[in-house]
Amino acid sequence: MIVSGWKKQYTDILKEFKYSEKQDKESAKILNSILKKSDTNKKILNLVKGKTVFVIGSGPSLSSAIPKLKNYKKIIKIAADSSIKPLVENGIIPDVVVTD
């Protein structure tokens, strides 16, 4: 999958944080090799297989969704890291947290 405009955004991020593209790519390779040795994907697949899953972001509807989410204690919740604070403050603990 190619995201339009990503290269420019990536270049801007590298400049803003003063990252080296070469070192960034090397760290991505190292992380990929670590993840390949990990059974994280398998654990997540086992967690969600055959179950209802909510994927929770931090968009403008999150505050109105929180009361509804409280009613679904046994549903698997996968949450964006940016949604964690309001979720936890309201007693909702995600099963999986993702970041980009």
Side-chain angles (χ1 to χ4, degrees):
M1 177 171 86
I2 297 174
V3 178
S4 177
W6 170 245
K7 182 64 176 170
K8 181 181 179 337
Q9 289 178 328
Y10 177 66
T11 302
D12 291 345
I13 292 168
L14 291 174
K15 285 179 187 174
E16 182 175 345
F17 290 100
K18 298 179 176 70
Y19 290 162
S20 155
E21 184 173 356
K22 181 180 177 185
Q23 289 175 323
D24 184 53
K25 288 182 178 182
E26 184 60 31
S27 66
K29 288 178 187 176
I30 292 168
L31 178 60
N32 188 49
S33 71
I34 291 168
L35 291 175
K36 283 183 179 178
K37 295 175 189 171
S38 165
D39 62 350
T40 302
N41 288 342
K42 189 180 198 179
K43 287 179 183 178
I44 292 171
L45 286 172
N46 288 337
L47 177 70
V48 302
K49 189 173 184 177
K51 297 180 183 151
T52 301
V53 177
F54 288 165
V55 178
I56 306 164
S58 61
S61 64
L62 179 59
S63 59
S64 64
I66 285 176
K68 296 173 187 136
L69 290 169
K70 288 181 176 184
N71 295 324
Y72 296 96
K73 298 192 185 313
K74 294 184 180 184
I75 300 291
I76 301 299
K77 295 166 203 75
I78 299 176
D81 62 347
S82 54
S83 70
I84 297 304
K85 185 176 181 189
L87 290 174
V88 171
E89 287 174 347
N90 286 280
I92 300 167
I93 309 300
D95 299 283
V96 177
V97 177
V98 295
T99 188
D100 60 4

